[in-house]
Amino acid sequence: MFNRFLFSYLLLPGMAFGSPAMAQPESDHAVLSDPDGTPIVIGSVHRISSTVYGDEQIVTVRLPRGYADDPKRRYPVVFSVDGGPDQDFELLSGIAAEAEFSTSFEPFILIGVKTKDRYSQLTPDWTRIDPERLSDVFGDRMVPGGASQFRRYLETDIIPWATGRYRTGRKALTSVSLGGLFVIDTFLATPELFDDYIALTPSVWWDGGRIVDEAAAKLAKQDASNRRIYFTMGDEGVGNRNGLWLETLVAAFETSAPKGLKWAFVDRSSEEEHRTMALTGWLDAFRTLYLTPSRSGNPLPLVYEDFEAPTYSAEARANIDAGTCRHAIATAVTFEEKNSAPAAYYGRCLLMKPGQKLTAGNFALGELGLDEDLEIVPE
């Protein structure tokens, strides 16, 4: 009884975020739409030949709205592990749509990388603890140690396919749970493979915390770079050691982060649990790494007393005259700072991060988001 409960506790959250065993079968997607209507297209499915696995693999793609309208613009490209059509692709497509509708963060190209056997493909070696303890919980489905091969698959097959086909800028890797562990492990093992890393509820318990125990030494060996990493954790249940292992990981970044690395950790243990982390976690991650500035104040006179908008300050007028709101002319402030002096900030280009404050990390507010020069393909 205990093992069965533990099995459910450990697997169900991961299944909810990409396990073929619990996710909606791909064949069921056709019945999501009423046959009397026209289906809504949110992306495309591609089948590619893998030189690493020697078979056909599934890749999903969502391009930003307006992608074809500006042939000089390049976009961040987000590689979602467990990103098949029956996995996390739909959820992340909603995050991508939010970027376009709200314009609060950069639009991006979404590349979903479907896993056929996430329990093997995404897991590092299991070397510290007796393997029987792993099989007692997961049974025969867990055959660990495929992470290195999956990284070769990303490097050899997926990344060249995507960057050769689309106008890509910075490359990001993201996933959840065991996939989050894969993101952390990849950052520590081959940091140069991606520019940005987003790990939600990473399975830091893996092999008795071996990955996080090795983090400080691996970070200390990394070269200086402009890479960035964001990770977050929710409530993982009573009595488990995820919190302690997570503290070890945060401490490793605090003491051993290489020069130039920007890192952020957000603790959500007081408001989210493992299975509720994906939507809020991804939204906050993109608002951190790809935040865009905007002008303060509502331009509609109907919302003001006597139907008259406030007068621009001299600083605001100069800021408006400087052109389109962008990082180069933005002022980084908090919502509290702006709201404490609304007249002074009215009309100015501001960089304000919505959502939860970072728990730990070395991002300054003005360092959130991307430099706009990275979005343009050189002539």
Side-chain angles (χ1 to χ4, degrees):
M1 184 68 169
F2 172 79
N3 281 345
R4 184 172 181 177
F5 171 79
L6 185 59
F7 177 84
S8 299
Y9 175 78
L10 290 174
L11 288 189
L12 184 57
M15 290 175 176
F17 297 128
S19 165
M22 291 294 288
Q24 183 182 51
E26 185 176 354
S27 60
D28 284 356
H29 278 66
V31 302
L32 292 178
S33 61
D34 185 327
D36 291 335
T38 301
I40 298 172
V41 177
I42 63 170
S44 55
V45 176
H46 303 259
R47 289 169 171 80
I48 67 172
S49 296
S50 170
T51 60
V52 173
Y53 288 113
D55 60 5
E56 185 179 78
Q57 298 285 328
I58 298 295
V59 178
T60 53
V61 176
R62 184 193 185 279
L63 297 176
R65 284 177 172 82
Y67 177 82
D69 298 338
D70 186 354
K72 292 185 178 182
R73 183 173 181 177
R74 67 171 63 188
Y75 296 83
V77 54
V78 177
F79 294 86
S80 168
V81 171
D82 282 335
D86 53 336
Q87 297 177 322
D88 290 342
F89 181 74
E90 286 183 275
L91 185 55
L92 265 169
S93 291
I95 299 294
E98 167 66 13
E100 296 152 5
F101 287 126
S102 73
T103 68
S104 61
F105 55 96
E106 299 287 347
F108 58 89
I109 298 169
L110 175 60
I111 306 293
V113 185
K114 181 180 175 67
T115 49
K116 293 183 176 181
D117 181 4
R118 68 193 305 267
Y119 303 109
S120 173
Q121 290 177 296
L122 302 183
T123 53
D125 292 331
W126 183 272
T127 61
R128 177 185 284 183
I129 297 179
D130 187 342
E132 289 188 5
R133 290 191 174 273
L134 190 64
S135 59
D136 284 346
V137 176
F138 289 93
D140 294 338
R141 74 176 62 202
M142 179 68 80
V143 181
S148 295
Q149 185 180 23
F150 196 77
R151 273 192 286 275
R152 290 198 305 273
Y153 167 56
L154 293 177
E155 181 176 15
T156 305
D157 297 326
I158 298 297
I159 294 175
W161 181 86
T163 57
R165 188 179 181 93
Y166 306 112
R167 299 192 306 274
T168 60
R170 289 181 72 89
K171 302 187 300 295
L173 177 69
T174 188
S175 195
V176 182
S177 195
L178 279 179
L181 173 70
F182 176 80
V183 171
I184 296 292
D185 185 45
T186 298
F187 173 75
L188 295 174
T190 57
E192 69 284 352
L193 199 54
F194 296 91
D195 303 298
D196 298 326
Y197 293 81
I198 301 171
L200 308 186
T201 62
S203 300
V204 292
W205 54 264
W206 184 259
D207 202 12
R210 177 176 59 82
I211 304 303
V212 299
D213 286 342
E214 296 172 353
K218 290 183 177 180
L219 283 169
K221 293 179 181 179
Q222 290 188 11
D223 296 330
S225 73
N226 66 347
R227 282 185 282 274
R228 304 179 300 173
I229 183 169
Y230 175 106
F231 56 102
T232 183
M233 187 76 77
D235 174 39
E236 298 294 312
V238 176
N240 71 60
R241 297 179 60 200
N242 276 292
L244 295 176
W245 285 314
L246 191 64
E247 289 178 8
T248 301
L249 183 61
V250 171
F253 279 94
E254 289 176 333
T255 61
S256 305
K259 183 178 179 180
L261 174 71
K262 292 298 178 183
W263 67 277
F265 165 65
V266 175
D267 181 6
R268 287 189 172 80
S269 59
S270 62
E271 66 268 353
E272 301 286 351
E273 59 171 294
H274 192 99
R275 62 180 178 170
T276 66
M277 285 289 298
L279 188 61
T280 55
W282 268 319
L283 183 60
D284 191 66
F286 284 102
R287 286 173 167 179
T288 300
L289 300 183
Y290 302 104
L291 181 68
T292 56
S294 63
R295 293 208 176 274
S296 173
N298 194 318
L300 295 177
L302 293 174
V303 305
Y304 297 101
E305 186 175 359
D306 298 326
F307 310 118
E308 185 174 348
T311 302
Y312 293 125
S313 67
E315 291 83 0
R317 175 54 63 188
N319 189 250
I320 292 171
D321 292 342
T324 303
C325 183
R326 60 196 187 277
H327 279 79
I329 64 169
T331 300
V333 296
T334 65
F335 279 81
E336 293 83 359
E337 289 171 333
K338 190 267 292 184
N339 290 330
S340 68
Y345 287 109
Y346 178 75
R348 292 172 60 179
C349 179
L350 303 180
L351 189 68
M352 300 189 300
K353 180 190 176 301
Q356 192 164 351
K357 295 180 180 179
L358 305 183
T359 305
N362 62 355
F363 276 94
L365 180 57
E367 296 171 329
L368 301 180
L370 282 180
D371 188 299
E372 57 268 16
D373 291 340
L374 296 177
E375 303 169 33
I376 306 300
V377 176
E379 295 283 354

